[in-house]
Amino acid sequence: MSDIFFLILRRMRMPLIFLISVYSISTIGMTLMPGIDPNGDTWHMSFFHAFYFVSFMGTTIGFGEIPYPFTDAQRAWVLGCIYTSVIAWLYGIGSLLRLVQDETFRYAVSERNFRVSINRIDQPFYIICGYGETGELITQGLADMGIQTVVIDIDPERTNAIELNNLSIPPIVLNADIKEPKNLTSAGIKGGWCRGVIAVTQNDHVNLKVAVACKLIKPDVPVICRSEIEDEAANMESFGTNFIVNPYLTFARRINLLTQNPGLHRIQNWFINQHSEEHLHQSVAQSGLPKGRWLVCGYGRFGRAVTQALADIEVEITVVDPDPIASRAPKGTIVGRGTEAKTLREAGIDDATVVVAASDDDANNLSILITAKQINKNVVTIGRVSHESDQMLFEQARCDYIFRRSLVVANEVLTLISRPLVTRFIQYSYTLTKSATEELIAQICQLTGNKSPVTWRLAVRADRSPALTSHLQAGGALNVEDLCRHQRIPRANAIPLLLWRDNISHLMPSPDMPVQENDEILFCARRNTDLLAQRLCDNEELVDTLINGNEHSIPLIRWLSRKVQH
């Protein structure tokens, strides 16, 4: 508040001095100007009456000549005072309007409002550094989950758009440079409610600086960083950045998985993309990407990541790049953008199975996909979208698999934050055999009616599931099957995916595996249904009925039964 007060005094100093001077001189002049009373005697206004007259003169000209009609000298002085005071007021009001529009003043006011809002937070929140396309998707996802966010971005045009999104929990916004460590402190990183910092600007070095600042200011706060450059990612990893998300490597791994094990890709797709589904043609999702000849147009970060991810697969890759030397493309690279039919034919589009439009130009990528389809109607197309607004054009071009960097990063970050057991399941799911994968898919499809499932985590702790914890503390037996299904409530059935105990993951725990206190279990089930484990958490009667086999009648019948017995 003091900053704003002193800024007002500094900017309004001259207008106030001028206005006070005009009023002072006018008042003194009125006391000196001689008047004539009704008796013809000379009189002079007192200082108080002169100040009174000058005060209403500035706002209500024409109030009248009081207490007696003025002399010509007095009227001449009043005329001068009127015009001078009007100029003084115009000067003062103009200066005030300039102050309100001044960037420094507005920044001081917004920073004060930001500090007040931060001090009022009484729930867990995340700090999001950078409100581009990725930051917007993450903020939207966290708001949908009921999690408060604090957004820092230097561009007011981007943050002003937040109000148009109509989020259920509006973020607290600070327009400031996130490279300044003091802004992280202002955002509440030292506070007890801060659960993590998410750096998702498009500049890897800025994200690196945020990660360094967080580790120095408050080392125990988790930091999630977006990084598209391997050197910067290695640098982040060197000082303990908790999670680093590289969209190119992540999507390249998904292409690899879709080529080698479509079933596992389908499972991961269900669980990772629960916030925003990726665009993948249904036939490709079912059968996977074909092997054979692939054309990769553009050998930048994405093209290189795809080529490396497919290195160990029986895929013949032909790279197309306009400058193979600068991009360090492999030998045999066809020179060109791939937007021309001649270049694509030279690369072998006629018998290609997949074409990847991997350049950083959306127009060129669309041209590649359309030209490739015109030459070879059976080719599967994968397109990179650099700007979210161009996504609809790729859908119109009937691209089979669309790579959206922002969406990939946002889904990874939201999964890390909201469903850490899903992240562990994804990591360990690569150990599933193809037959185990197909069996799991069949179970999920049977349970959900061929619809995408949802995941839910059970934490067997007194604060999260008191009924189950009391049952275990009383010496009761409980196994995984007891939490997954019961013949009385078939719609509440669930499939156990992972059991987390003493920092050890048990993938696909067996039904007869005993459950212990402090276990965490990940289930999947149909949407819009309360799982059996959810119902058992805090319902001791239901636990006693379904697990111990002790029948409990409804309260009215129980009351009537007691009355009859007495």
Side-chain angles (χ1 to χ4, degrees):
M1 189 64 183
S2 59
D3 295 341
I4 299 175
F5 180 71
F6 285 112
L7 185 61
I8 292 174
L9 288 183
R10 190 162 56 248
R11 297 296 176 86
M12 295 298 295
R13 180 176 53 193
M14 288 305 298
L16 288 175
I17 291 175
F18 182 54
L19 190 62
I20 292 172
S21 300
V22 168
Y23 270 68
S24 300
I25 294 171
S26 299
T27 302
I28 294 171
M30 287 302 297
T31 61
L32 298 177
M33 288 296 112
I36 302 296
D37 62 15
N39 299 325
D41 298 329
T42 301
W43 68 279
H44 291 274
M45 277 190 180
S46 67
F47 183 82
F48 174 75
H49 286 98
F51 181 68
Y52 171 71
F53 175 81
V54 170
S55 296
F56 71 69
M57 175 195 70
T59 54
T60 58
I61 297 173
F63 191 77
E65 297 175 351
I66 56 174
Y68 310 117
F70 287 173
T71 62
D72 290 344
Q74 286 177 308
R75 288 170 180 165
W77 180 254
V78 169
L79 278 174
C81 293
I82 289 172
Y83 290 112
T84 309
S85 64
V86 168
I87 293 172
W89 275 112
L90 289 176
Y91 179 40
I93 293 172
S95 299
L96 184 62
L97 292 176
R98 283 197 301 274
L99 174 64
V100 172
Q101 296 175 345
D102 185 82
E103 288 295 330
T104 305
F105 178 76
R106 295 173 69 176
Y107 175 76
V109 172
S110 65
E111 191 178 37
R112 178 190 174 277
N113 293 336
F114 179 79
R115 286 198 300 268
V116 171
S117 299
I118 292 296
N119 292 334
R120 289 176 177 171
I121 292 181
D122 57 357
Q123 59 180 310
F125 71 93
Y126 285 85
I127 299 173
I128 299 176
C129 300
Y131 194 74
E133 293 173 343
T134 308
E136 183 178 354
L137 289 172
I138 293 173
T139 305
Q140 174 79 55
L142 292 176
D144 292 342
M145 289 185 280
I147 299 176
Q148 177 70 60
T149 54
V150 177
V151 173
I152 307 176
D153 195 294
I154 198 170
D155 188 349
E157 291 186 5
R158 287 201 292 256
T159 54
N160 289 339
I162 291 177
E163 296 182 9
L164 303 177
N165 293 339
N166 194 24
L167 300 176
S168 55
I169 300 183
I172 300 171
V173 179
L174 175 64
N175 288 122
D177 189 352
I178 57 176
K179 297 192 297 295
E180 297 290 337
K182 68 176 184 179
N183 292 326
L184 285 171
T185 306
S186 300
I189 188 174
K190 292 182 177 178
W193 292 111
C194 182
R195 292 293 181 267
V197 177
I198 305 166
V200 286
T201 72
Q202 293 192 356
N203 188 321
D204 275 30
H205 196 70
V206 173
N207 295 338
L208 171 65
K209 189 168 183 180
V210 171
V212 171
C214 292
K215 287 300 174 185
L216 292 175
I217 295 173
K218 194 171 182 183
D220 58 336
V221 168
V223 181
I224 302 174
C225 279
R226 166 183 179 169
S227 177
E228 300 176 358
I229 302 173
E230 293 183 12
D231 290 345
E232 298 285 8
N235 198 349
M236 293 175 187
E237 198 171 4
S238 65
F239 55 83
T241 301
N242 301 82
F243 302 101
I244 302 167
V245 181
N246 184 324
Y248 301 119
L249 296 180
T250 302
F251 196 76
R253 284 195 294 269
R254 296 186 61 72
I255 289 177
N256 176 296
L257 191 61
L258 188 57
T259 307
Q260 296 200 90
N261 192 348
L264 186 56
H265 180 277
R266 187 181 181 187
I267 291 175
Q268 293 191 4
N269 205 27
W270 277 335
F271 299 145
I272 292 177
N273 301 318
Q274 293 198 342
H275 302 283
S276 299
E277 292 186 3
E278 61 181 3
H279 181 89
L280 174 61
H281 195 277
Q282 189 174 2
S283 62
V284 178
Q286 293 285 346
S287 58
L289 291 168
K291 296 180 181 176
R293 178 190 289 275
W294 284 46
L295 304 187
V296 177
C297 301
Y299 199 71
R301 284 172 287 185
F302 180 46
R304 190 177 299 111
V306 171
T307 305
Q308 292 172 352
L310 299 174
D312 298 332
I313 305 178
E314 297 173 359
V315 171
E316 181 186 348
I317 298 177
T318 300
V319 176
V320 179
D321 192 89
D323 192 350
I325 297 176
S327 61
R328 300 178 183 177
K331 290 183 179 179
T333 296
I334 305 299
V335 179
R337 290 188 176 85
T339 54
E340 311 87 3
K342 179 183 176 183
T343 307
L344 290 176
R345 283 206 165 91
E346 185 181 356
I349 187 64
D350 292 308
D351 59 349
T353 55
V354 178
V355 61
V356 183
S359 77
D360 59 357
D361 188 297
D362 287 351
N364 285 343
N365 289 341
L366 286 167
S367 177
I368 292 168
L369 298 177
I370 294 171
T371 307
K373 276 286 188 183
Q374 287 176 344
I375 299 173
N376 183 352
K377 294 182 179 178
N378 297 321
V379 72
V380 176
T381 53
I382 301 175
R384 167 187 169 179
V385 179
S386 296
H387 301 286
E388 285 289 314
S389 57
D390 291 334
Q391 181 207 345
M392 62 171 292
L393 298 179
F394 282 76
E395 293 178 2
Q396 290 294 322
R398 299 182 178 179
C399 181
D400 296 302
Y401 199 7
I402 298 177
F403 167 43
R404 296 162 59 191
R405 286 185 305 165
S406 302
L407 182 64
V408 169
V409 176
N411 277 330
E412 288 286 319
V413 171
L414 292 173
T415 303
L416 285 168
I417 292 173
S418 62
R419 297 174 297 145
L421 284 189
V422 170
T423 303
R424 291 194 179 96
F425 171 78
I426 297 299
Q427 292 172 347
Y428 287 97
S429 64
Y430 289 98
T431 61
L432 290 172
T433 62
K434 283 195 175 182
S435 60
T437 303
E438 295 300 327
E439 184 180 350
L440 178 58
I441 291 175
Q443 291 179 10
I444 294 175
C445 289
Q446 183 180 8
L447 180 67
T448 62
N450 291 319
K451 296 181 180 177
S452 60
V454 293
T455 58
W456 188 76
R457 180 184 64 147
L458 168 68
V460 188
R461 298 196 307 262
D463 59 331
R464 302 291 297 273
S465 49
L468 291 173
T469 306
S470 300
H471 173 76
L472 291 172
Q473 290 175 345
L478 184 68
N479 57 41
V480 174
E481 179 74 3
D482 294 330
L483 301 172
C484 292
R485 61 185 69 250
H486 197 281
Q487 56 185 3
R488 288 189 178 183
I489 324 174
R491 286 188 57 81
N493 290 354
I495 299 172
L497 299 175
L498 185 92
L499 188 147
W500 175 256
R501 175 184 297 165
D502 299 330
N503 296 325
I504 297 176
S505 295
H506 300 269
L507 186 65
M508 304 296 297
S510 62
D512 58 350
M513 184 173 183
V515 176
Q516 301 176 5
E517 277 192 75
N518 300 317
D519 282 353
E520 293 187 17
I521 308 174
L522 178 68
F523 298 98
C524 77
R526 72 183 73 196
R527 292 180 180 273
N528 304 319
T529 302
D530 288 338
L531 280 64
L532 176 62
Q534 275 181 286
R535 302 183 186 199
L536 293 172
C537 275
D538 54 359
N539 192 330
E540 295 188 358
E541 285 192 2
L542 194 61
V543 170
D544 198 33
T545 302
L546 300 184
I547 296 178
N548 296 332
N550 298 322
E551 292 294 338
H552 287 258
S553 53
I554 60 176
L556 178 59
I557 297 178
R558 197 161 57 218
W559 179 78
L560 290 173
S561 177
R562 285 200 299 268
K563 287 291 184 183
V564 171
Q565 290 175 2
H566 288 293

